[in-house]
Amino acid sequence: MSLDNRIKNLARLVVEFGANVKPGEDVVLMTPVENPEFARMIVEACYEAGARHVSVDWSDDALKRMRYQYEDQETLNEVPDYEVARQEYRLANKRSNRIVVISEDPDALAGLDEKKIAESIRERSKVMKPFRKYTMNDIVSWSLISIPTVKWAMKVFPGMIAGEAVNKLWEAILDTSRVTDDWEETRTNWKNHLIVLAKHADFLNANNFDKVHYTSSNGTNLVVELPKGHMWKAAISDNEKGDAFVPNMPTEEVFTSPLKTGVNGRLVATKPLVYNGTVINKFEFRFEDGKVVDFKAEEGEDTLREMLESDEGARYLGEIALVPFDSPINESGILFFNTLFDENASCHFALGKAYPTTVEGGDLLEDSELHTIGLNDSLIHEDFMVGAADLDIIGYKDGKPVQIFKNGNFAY
Ligand code: ZN
Ligand code: ZN
């Protein structure tokens, strides 16, 4: 299969299926400077789909690192008015679709002052909080994909020469994203996949569990209560106009929100998490009444502590997601060091903000109402992976057990 054609099809997929760009709409594309050709493919696909205007924000790991290294805290914390005005224009005013190409070197910020980085991200998130609802509440369409960069590819495939590693990572991304060199086939793959995911969500919603119990031999033993009116969601979301979009590509998960204060027990992570350019590995949490009361990590513990101290809600869960152990990403055997892929290889949770769209009518509720229902709020939302080959999950409705997962996969 021609790699070039497949790459073109990924660009088309994120525009037509991911963000579902419609005639007359604006698009904001965030993409790494390392691959301008791919950015141009996306921009062209947007215009071909009828976009009115596409603006591009370039990202660069090396420049980001320099800022954190050289600028003082006050400068880093500052968010200029024009940046706020730009978000106001793009989201509040133009309702721009958002396409984000994430391609971070997992070690981009390794060795820098974690406190300094965490504070500046926190301050920035506070200023930008009013704009988060446009994506968290699905007001606009948004979609996330990843493409290789040299440093990321060499982290995933150590020992290979750069060009080989990049090609191998491209193939892994395209395989797990169900993209072939035939556009019609790629479309059909996605249509069929979305039907399978929707069936799992329907099963879970029909059972309307009060709580779920996780156990596996690594020590995980966790009970998670679910809020009244919660809904399990699969890959597809609808924006405020009712247009369907796919927020993550690839996507293998079915997810909802936990009851903020209803999480108890021990939870052991099964894959590393890259947070702000630092790897956190071999970590676990103990929860009491929803709160992380104890944690440890063999690698990156300071970074994990900074993350948990972001704000009050950072110590509570905001997402519970089911992914079969036999998902194509897990079967690839590749550890991507990239949450978009690793979360879709494994059952996961997120610490931090819950998606309001996971409760009935939630996208129209105020923060205080979401709080009353039991949804967590925070400046962060960070997924981490807990899936294991022997993970069992049992759901309970009025005390009656139903096996949801047996040995890492859906049991029914
Ligand atoms: Zn998720
Ligand atoms: Zn998440």
Side-chain angles (χ1 to χ4, degrees):
M1 282 194 275
S2 143
L3 196 56
D4 288 352
N5 272 343
R6 294 178 79 193
I7 292 171
K8 235 181 224 148
N9 283 342
L10 178 67
R12 193 165 169 191
L13 183 73
V14 73
V15 171
E16 290 187 22
F17 247 81
N20 192 1
V21 175
K22 295 274 192 242
E25 292 182 347
D26 281 15
V27 182
V28 176
L29 168 65
M30 268 163 277
T31 194
V33 72
E34 197 170 313
N35 194 334
E37 292 83 6
F38 187 71
R40 290 177 197 128
M41 286 178 205
I42 293 186
V43 172
E44 185 155 33
C46 288
Y47 285 126
E48 279 168 0
R52 184 192 78 106
H53 173 66
V54 186
S55 60
V56 180
D57 291 353
W58 299 99
S59 60
D60 182 63
D61 282 339
L63 293 182
K64 188 156 106 181
R65 184 178 175 91
M66 283 180 217
R67 277 203 70 193
Y68 287 124
Q69 192 178 344
Y70 291 107
E71 293 189 13
D72 63 23
Q73 189 76 62
E74 200 185 326
T75 312
L76 283 171
N77 291 359
E78 184 187 307
V79 184
D81 291 347
Y82 67 80
E83 276 196 50
V84 177
R86 190 167 64 166
Q87 295 299 340
E88 188 77 37
Y89 173 83
R90 288 170 164 181
L91 290 167
N93 183 356
K94 291 294 174 198
R95 296 292 205 257
S96 304
N97 298 288
R98 181 176 284 247
I99 297 174
V100 183
V101 182
I102 300 179
S103 304
E104 280 176 334
D105 166 14
D107 298 316
L109 304 179
L112 296 181
D113 181 350
E114 281 115 6
K115 270 198 155 53
K116 189 176 172 186
I117 297 170
E119 186 182 320
S120 98
I121 289 172
R122 200 159 51 233
E123 292 308 307
R124 190 180 176 80
S125 306
K126 279 185 203 162
V127 179
M128 291 301 181
K129 190 163 189 212
F131 301 109
R132 258 201 345 168
K133 68 171 187 228
Y134 289 96
T135 49
M136 286 298 273
N137 290 16
D138 295 341
I139 295 171
V140 301
S141 301
W142 54 282
S143 194
L144 254 64
I145 58 168
S146 284
I147 60 167
T149 57
V150 170
K151 284 204 168 137
W152 177 30
M154 293 184 75
K155 174 89 178 176
V156 179
F157 301 109
M160 270 187 201
I161 56 164
E164 253 175 52
V166 166
N167 277 348
K168 206 162 156 68
L169 186 53
W170 261 124
E171 274 165 15
I173 288 171
L174 295 163
D175 287 348
T176 56
S177 304
R178 297 175 158 80
V179 175
T180 71
D181 61 357
D182 182 286
W183 172 244
E184 284 309 317
E185 187 179 49
T186 301
R187 277 183 61 125
T188 307
N189 286 347
W190 271 87
K191 280 192 174 152
N192 293 340
H193 178 49
L194 295 175
I195 290 170
V196 171
L197 290 174
K199 275 187 186 151
H200 290 309
D202 289 347
F203 170 83
L204 294 159
N205 285 326
N207 276 284
N208 191 23
F209 296 114
D210 316 311
K211 61 179 178 185
V212 288
H213 183 193
Y214 282 58
T215 48
S216 73
S217 62
N218 62 9
T220 287
N221 187 350
L222 189 81
V223 175
V224 181
E225 294 171 47
L226 302 172
K228 284 201 174 58
H230 73 272
M231 292 184 298
W232 291 89
K233 296 190 63 180
I236 289 196
S237 299
D238 291 317
N239 70 14
E240 67 175 352
K241 292 195 289 184
D243 294 333
F245 65 97
V246 182
N248 289 347
M249 300 182 130
T251 180
E252 302 290 332
E253 64 178 330
V254 185
F255 67 99
T256 189
S257 293
L259 181 69
K260 177 177 178 178
T261 53
V263 182
N264 285 284
R266 182 177 172 204
L267 183 58
V268 180
T270 51
K271 286 179 193 284
L273 160 67
V274 179
Y275 181 68
N276 295 342
T278 303
V279 178
I280 305 169
N281 201 4
K282 300 208 165 70
F283 58 104
E284 63 170 89
F285 303 106
R286 194 163 59 78
F287 289 89
E288 269 175 28
D289 299 329
K291 188 175 182 181
V292 172
V293 291
D294 201 10
F295 67 93
K296 59 180 175 200
E298 276 183 32
E299 191 185 336
E301 193 172 86
D302 289 341
T303 304
L304 182 59
R305 184 174 299 106
E306 287 301 328
M307 183 178 119
L308 290 168
E309 285 172 4
S310 302
D311 57 16
E312 191 258 354
R315 279 188 180 250
Y316 291 84
L317 295 179
E319 177 189 342
I320 166 171
L322 305 181
V323 180
F325 199 72
D326 64 7
S327 83
I329 301 175
N330 209 35
E331 286 194 331
S332 76
I334 298 167
L335 181 60
F336 284 85
F337 295 97
N338 174 317
T339 300
L340 181 58
F341 289 83
D342 294 331
E343 74 163 329
N344 279 305
S346 173
C347 282
H348 58 271
F349 290 91
L351 284 160
K353 185 167 174 61
Y355 286 100
T357 50
T358 52
V359 290
E360 280 165 45
D363 49 341
L364 300 173
L365 297 178
E366 299 291 329
D367 282 354
S368 60
E369 294 170 301
L370 293 168
H371 176 81
T372 307
I373 292 170
L375 260 54
N376 188 27
D377 191 14
S378 169
L379 294 172
I380 70 161
H381 174 100
E382 281 301 323
D383 291 44
F384 62 96
M385 285 56 84
V386 302
D390 64 354
L391 177 64
D392 280 5
I393 306 173
I394 294 175
Y396 290 90
K397 175 68 184 172
D398 300 326
K400 191 173 129 308
V402 175
Q403 187 104 35
I404 302 174
F405 258 56
K406 182 79 195 160
N407 287 327
N409 290 306
F410 282 105
Y412 51 88

